[in-house]
């Protein structure tokens, strides 16, 4: 019984962190002039290639830095990383801070061709 409860809690936690990317919502949000595209990958990953217009804030730094970049909690924030896991964690952190329009756009490699095709 205890094992079932522990496994249930673990699956809930993993589900929150492994949220599906929402490419359609990300593309729609990026059409808005007030949206902000945030790369939550490492500095090394960002320097190797980033989406046009993206700013970098590491997923582990986003809670401490977001207020100086996006004080308006209704501003659309579109997050991405290498696989979608870190952007999911960052989304969760931002929502806990009260940000209301946060989208996990998922993986850089998946999002890049969609943005290029959208132009």
């Amino acid at each position: 019984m205890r094992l079932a409860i522990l496994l249930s809690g673990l699956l809930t936690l993993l589900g929150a962190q492994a949220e599906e990317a929402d490419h359609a919502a990300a593309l729609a949000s990026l059409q808005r002039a007030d949206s902000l595209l945030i790369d939550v990958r490492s500095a090394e990953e960002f320097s190797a290639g980033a989406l046009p217009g993206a700013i970098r804030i590491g997923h582990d730094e986003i809670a401490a830095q977001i207020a100086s970049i996006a004080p308006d909690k209704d501003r659309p924030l579109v997050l991405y990383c290498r696989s979608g896991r870190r952007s999911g964690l960052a989304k969760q952190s931002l929502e806990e801070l009260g940000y209301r329009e946060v989208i996990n756009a998922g993986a850089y490699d998946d999002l890049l061709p969609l943005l290029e095709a959208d132009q």
Side-chain angles (χ1 to χ4, degrees), residues 88-115:
L89 292 171
K91 178 180 189 265
Q92 184 177 16
S93 293
L94 292 173
E95 289 174 340
E96 288 171 4
L97 291 172
Y99 284 85
R100 290 174 274 286
E101 291 196 51
V102 185
I103 299 165
N104 178 1
Y108 168 79
D109 288 337
D110 294 340
L111 196 55
L112 182 60
L114 296 174
L115 289 175

Side-chain angles (χ1 to χ4, degrees), residues 39-41 79-88 106-109:
D39 185 325
V40 300
R41 299 176 300 159
L79 313 173
Y80 73 93
C81 65
R82 186 185 55 79
S83 68
R85 186 185 70 79
R86 288 175 284 178
S87 51
Y108 168 79
D109 288 337

Side-chain angles (χ1 to χ4, degrees):
M1 183 63 150
R2 291 171 109 186
L3 181 59
I5 293 170
L6 288 173
L7 287 175
S8 174
L10 180 60
L11 291 174
T12 300
L13 177 62
L14 290 174
Q17 293 178 358
E19 171 187 313
E20 288 291 315
D22 191 343
H23 294 139
L27 293 173
S29 185
L30 290 172
Q31 297 300 315
R32 293 180 49 178
D34 63 337
S35 68
L36 186 59
L37 181 61
I38 303 174
D39 185 325
V40 300
R41 299 176 300 159
S42 69
E44 294 78 23
E45 289 170 305
F46 185 80
S47 66
L51 297 176
I55 62 166
R56 191 196 82 77
I57 307 174
H59 78 284
D60 55 346
E61 305 162 345
I62 200 156
Q65 295 184 14
I66 194 65
S68 64
I69 296 161
D72 179 1
K73 293 187 177 185
D74 289 318
R75 184 175 188 179
L77 304 174
V78 178
L79 313 173
Y80 73 93
C81 65
R82 186 185 55 79
S83 68
R85 186 185 70 79
R86 288 175 284 178
S87 51
L89 292 171
K91 178 180 189 265
Q92 184 177 16
S93 293
L94 292 173
E95 289 174 340
E96 288 171 4
L97 291 172
Y99 284 85
R100 290 174 274 286
E101 291 196 51
V102 185
I103 299 165
N104 178 1
Y108 168 79
D109 288 337
D110 294 340
L111 196 55
L112 182 60
L114 296 174
L115 289 175
E116 290 173 344
D118 195 46
Q119 294 179 0

